[in-house]
Amino acid sequence: MLQNKIIVSPSILSADFANLERDIKRAEAAGADWLHIDVMDGHFVPNITIGVPVTASIKKVAQVPLDVHLMIENPEKYVEPFANAGADILTFHYEAVEGKNILPLIEKIKSFDMKAGMSIKPKTAPDVTYPYLESLDMLLIMTVEPGFGGQKFMPDCAEKVKSIREKSEDIIIQVDGGINAETGNICKNYGANSLVAGNYVYKSENINEAIKSLKF
Ligand code: DX5
Ligand code: ZN
């Protein structure tokens, strides 16, 4: 059964890194369900952000599950380190998996008691995900090119949510990139039930209102 509840996962990439604990607590107090942690390696995407040690430090202060989005090459190498750091949901990119050994990677993530997520970039067709939907806990549809916060939402990408929801009622479908109340609604209408938002949450005047507007 499709969950009615919308899981809001603020992306801390738009938080103030010098005041991360404060900004995490702000998001939690405002009703964040998860915290979205964007891990970038400078290879899979041009940007470099945060990695294992910062994730482990966040785990010490966060109350809600850590939703870790790996935008890195060789994701299989980092399953155990991120499990040890306290990731609760670990999402890799379909495009980053060598030889498309995807099922063993999903099994590995689950063997560490994490939820397994897979993400596709804007140019990747939704069909490639179909063989894995049964095994995955979550599918993350990128609605911008991964790499940076604050980009413009791509409506064509959001349409992919519809085809995936037709194939699976149960899977969590998350969208990430340029999400605000309006674009979030478009995605929810297509069947998404988890919204990531960076700039919209952290650059808003009222974080409570921003998170609420994504949920309802
Ligand atoms: C982009 C990241 C996103 C980013 C979203 O590569 O995966 O999670 O932080 O930021 P906004 O919501 O500002 O587009
Ligand atoms: Zn992300």
Side-chain angles (χ1 to χ4, degrees):
M1 260 299 290
L2 172 58
Q3 288 177 260
N4 288 325
K5 191 179 171 285
I6 303 295
I7 301 162
V8 175
S9 192
S11 167
I12 58 153
L13 191 58
S14 302
D16 175 358
F17 280 2
N19 290 287
L20 207 42
E21 181 174 7
R22 180 201 67 191
D23 280 4
I24 285 168
K25 291 200 152 62
R26 272 187 188 159
E28 287 179 337
D33 300 289
W34 294 348
L35 285 174
H36 187 82
I37 301 179
D38 286 304
V39 177
M40 306 189 191
D41 65 354
H43 293 279
F44 183 72
V45 288
N47 200 4
I48 300 177
T49 54
I50 61 183
V52 172
V54 176
T55 304
S57 299
I58 292 171
K59 189 68 182 178
K60 291 189 189 139
V61 299
Q63 308 279 327
V64 300
L66 302 187
D67 164 30
V68 177
H69 178 190
L70 299 180
M71 285 160 276
I72 62 173
E73 288 177 0
N74 304 312
E76 57 287 345
K77 271 181 148 175
Y78 297 93
V79 173
E80 190 165 359
F82 276 102
N84 292 338
D88 296 279
I89 303 99
L90 194 64
T91 299
F92 61 89
H93 265 269
Y94 169 81
E95 302 85 357
V97 184
E98 296 276 341
K100 294 292 164 270
N101 282 325
I102 287 174
L103 282 175
L105 177 54
I106 295 172
E107 290 313 318
K108 188 170 182 183
I109 294 172
K110 288 181 163 178
S111 76
F112 285 97
D113 270 339
M114 296 182 287
K115 281 196 194 321
M118 183 171 84
S119 181
I120 54 170
K121 297 208 281 184
K123 291 193 187 80
T124 303
D127 324 28
V128 303
T129 69
Y130 298 164
Y132 311 110
L133 296 181
E134 286 253 304
S135 314
L136 287 164
D137 296 294
M138 181 167 93
L139 196 84
L140 164 51
I141 311 269
M142 289 307 298
T143 43
V144 299
E145 274 304 333
F148 299 92
Q151 303 181 77
K152 202 167 175 286
F153 176 78
M154 300 163 83
D156 294 1
C157 296
E159 276 189 49
K160 293 186 212 172
V161 171
K162 216 166 110 190
S163 20
I164 287 157
R165 183 54 79 209
E166 278 165 12
K167 298 272 172 204
S168 170
E169 283 195 355
D170 298 321
I171 196 162
I172 299 170
I173 303 181
Q174 185 176 64
V175 285
D176 181 10
I179 299 296
N180 55 36
E182 188 191 335
T183 58
N185 256 331
I186 296 172
C187 297
K188 284 189 268 185
N189 287 335
Y190 286 141
N193 56 344
S194 177
L195 306 183
V196 173
N199 266 32
Y200 179 63
V201 167
Y202 277 113
K203 310 290 182 220
S204 71
E205 307 230 313
N206 186 331
I207 192 168
N208 293 287
E209 287 303 318
I211 290 183
K212 210 157 102 198
S213 72
L214 296 172
K215 285 198 182 194
F216 305 107

